[in-house]
Amino acid sequence: MYISKITSELKNKSILNLSLLLCVILVVPLYASGPFLPDLFLSIAVIIFLIISLKEKLKKFYLNGYSKFFAILFVYMIFRSFFSLNPEVSLQSSLFYFRFYVFSLAVWYLISTEPNFKKFLFIILSLTLIFVLLDTLYQYLFGFDFFGFESKTHRLSGPFDDELIVGSFIVKILPVLYSINFLCFTKISKKMIYLFILSIFIVFLSGERTSFFIVCFFSLFFFIFISINNKKIIILLSIILTAASILAVLIFDKTRFDRMVKYPICAMNLVKIDSLECERNENTYGKYVGDKGRMVIFSEAHEGHYKSAIKMFLDSPIFGQGIKMYRYLCGDERFVNLNSCTTHPHNTLLQILAELGLIGFIFLLFVIFKIYQTLFKLIFSKKIIIQNNEKISFIFITVAIIQTFLIFLPSGQFFNNYLSILYYFPLGIFLNFHYNHFNGK
């Protein structure tokens, strides 16, 4: 009944608006198919939105401060790419990178003009998350998922096959889903709380340590703010259940214990090798040496990437080396070390410094300042008058963006098209909130 009612209401929509809505809501479910289809649907959505913008003269989406800021950033990225070591490769990332921001504008447009969009988005994100969680859990229990994709030695991939990003996918979807939940409903149901518990557990099982840290970070906001509208006993039991499940896995699953506890301690040289039996097994846990008498940053591999990125930055501190140039320069004698070469330095801050220099860092610093300023205003300012459930929704979506910029943690390739889809998706919801409550309608 609920879905059929929404479907019947869509019959009166124009073909352009209906096509835009369908393309946007299908981007996330298609994510598990690989980078091609979600990027294709995103690009189609961008083209449709640009046509709608011209037809309806949607000036507010382009003449606000955020759009001007990103326009300047994109111009700088293209400019720097022209003068990089390999302009052709660099321009492949920078020339059409603007489409991700336009996609976020399309999300903003749908949130503000299509009442059914929020309901559809909630349903689609819920079903997608449930499928990914069950598929990954099945893979953990039986060694392969619904599609026959086998689990790795110490990592789970779920429906993503060789892409070990299932934990990252979950932590990026969670705050968006629960933000939409509070836009559609005044409170959160018990089923959604149980879904959140399962999500934390699956992220832990995935073996992605950074993702597990991030989901714990979001959990702080989740359990604090949902307790406002829900019985606190349910929250307490949820926390106990989550902790007990993770502890049980650590006790009975040696592979997970090694991956989530033993290897990080050994890799960072936090204890002597003999005290934790830190094997030097490069194939399983990565290469590390525990007798140097100093702490290592995350692992020797990470530390090697970071050192090369810093050298690249110092070599060209103002403008950097150009987008995606780390992979081409990491073997240069000026920057090379034993662990230097990979596709990117595995840290957003260092990648920006190495590839876009201090100018890129200023853009990054501004974004970080604005999102933290927004969060603190939402939590502490009494001047902002927002309904309670909408305020929680705004806080959750702001945290979703903050998660992208936890710049002292290891991270993926920031300018990767596949990851950028999930980076910019919540931005559209954020922009709608920010425009309505901080800039006036």
Side-chain angles (χ1 to χ4, degrees), residues 78 80-96 323-325 328:
I78 294 171
R80 185 64 192 92
S81 295
F82 273 113
F83 298 96
S84 66
L85 175 68
N86 193 330
E88 183 179 351
V89 171
S90 192
L91 283 169
Q92 285 177 2
S93 291
S94 62
L95 194 58
F96 295 101
I323 292 174
K324 283 198 173 179
M325 288 300 100
Y328 291 96

Side-chain angles (χ1 to χ4, degrees), residues 36-130:
F36 176 74
L37 285 179
D39 198 2
L40 174 64
F41 275 73
L42 179 145
S43 300
I44 294 173
V46 167
I47 294 171
I48 294 172
F49 179 66
L50 290 175
I51 295 172
I52 293 174
S53 298
L54 290 173
K55 186 178 178 180
E56 299 184 10
K57 298 179 180 179
L58 304 176
K59 294 182 180 180
K60 78 169 186 178
F61 295 96
Y62 301 96
L63 298 181
N64 59 80
Y66 280 100
S67 292
K68 293 175 184 177
F69 168 83
F70 277 100
I72 296 171
L73 172 61
F74 299 147
V75 169
Y76 171 66
M77 289 168 57
I78 294 171
F79 169 81
R80 185 64 192 92
S81 295
F82 273 113
F83 298 96
S84 66
L85 175 68
N86 193 330
E88 183 179 351
V89 171
S90 192
L91 283 169
Q92 285 177 2
S93 291
S94 62
L95 194 58
F96 295 101
Y97 189 76
F98 73 90
R99 73 187 187 278
F100 296 108
Y101 180 71
V102 177
F103 176 70
S104 70
L105 295 183
V107 174
W108 173 11
Y109 169 77
L110 290 172
I111 283 281
S112 60
T113 61
E114 298 286 349
N116 295 310
F117 175 68
K118 292 176 286 189
K119 301 170 187 176
F120 261 113
L121 191 58
F122 177 77
I123 294 169
I124 292 294
L125 290 181
S126 298
L127 293 176
T128 302
L129 181 62
I130 290 170

Side-chain angles (χ1 to χ4, degrees), residues 256-407:
R256 289 296 171 279
F257 175 82
D258 287 351
R259 172 68 187 174
M260 302 301 287
V261 179
K262 179 178 178 180
Y263 171 63
I265 294 174
C266 293
M268 290 188 286
N269 197 25
L270 298 178
V271 298
K272 293 182 179 180
I273 275 189
D274 295 337
S275 61
L276 200 60
E277 298 179 354
C278 296
E279 308 94 339
R280 296 174 183 175
N281 188 336
E282 186 171 359
N283 293 327
T284 303
Y285 301 115
K287 185 176 180 181
Y288 53 84
V289 179
D291 55 1
K292 291 185 176 179
R294 67 173 181 85
M295 191 178 81
V296 176
I297 302 174
F298 297 118
S299 72
E300 288 190 336
H302 284 91
E303 194 173 87
H305 306 334
Y306 297 168
K307 287 178 179 178
S308 287
I310 292 170
K311 288 179 181 178
M312 291 180 196
F313 163 66
L314 294 175
D315 181 69
S316 180
I318 305 299
F319 299 105
Q321 305 293 340
I323 292 174
K324 283 198 173 179
M325 288 300 100
Y326 180 93
R327 67 187 67 191
Y328 291 96
L329 292 170
C330 61
D332 190 292
E333 62 181 9
R334 295 171 295 168
F335 315 121
V336 72
N337 62 65
L338 182 63
N339 299 295
S340 61
C341 271
T342 183
T343 55
H344 59 96
H346 290 81
N347 179 272
T348 297
L349 173 61
L350 293 178
Q351 183 179 359
I352 296 297
L353 286 171
E355 297 185 345
L356 291 177
L358 283 173
I359 294 179
F361 174 71
I362 291 171
F363 281 104
L364 176 65
L365 203 63
F366 178 80
V367 171
I368 292 173
F369 170 76
K370 289 299 292 185
I371 56 178
Y372 276 101
Q373 181 190 51
T374 301
L375 183 64
F376 280 101
K377 281 184 177 179
L378 280 170
I379 295 175
F380 299 111
S381 177
K382 296 180 180 179
K383 296 180 180 180
I384 302 172
I385 303 173
I386 309 177
Q387 290 183 356
N388 197 49
N389 61 311
E390 191 177 2
K391 184 174 183 178
I392 295 173
S393 178
F394 197 174
I395 289 172
F396 282 1
I397 209 66
T398 304
V399 173
I401 299 173
I402 287 175
Q403 289 180 174
T404 303
F405 298 102
L406 294 175
I407 55 177

Side-chain angles (χ1 to χ4, degrees), residues 157 181 223 343 403 422 435:
S157 63
N181 180 99
F223 286 120
T343 55
Q403 289 180 174
L422 296 184
Y435 185 84

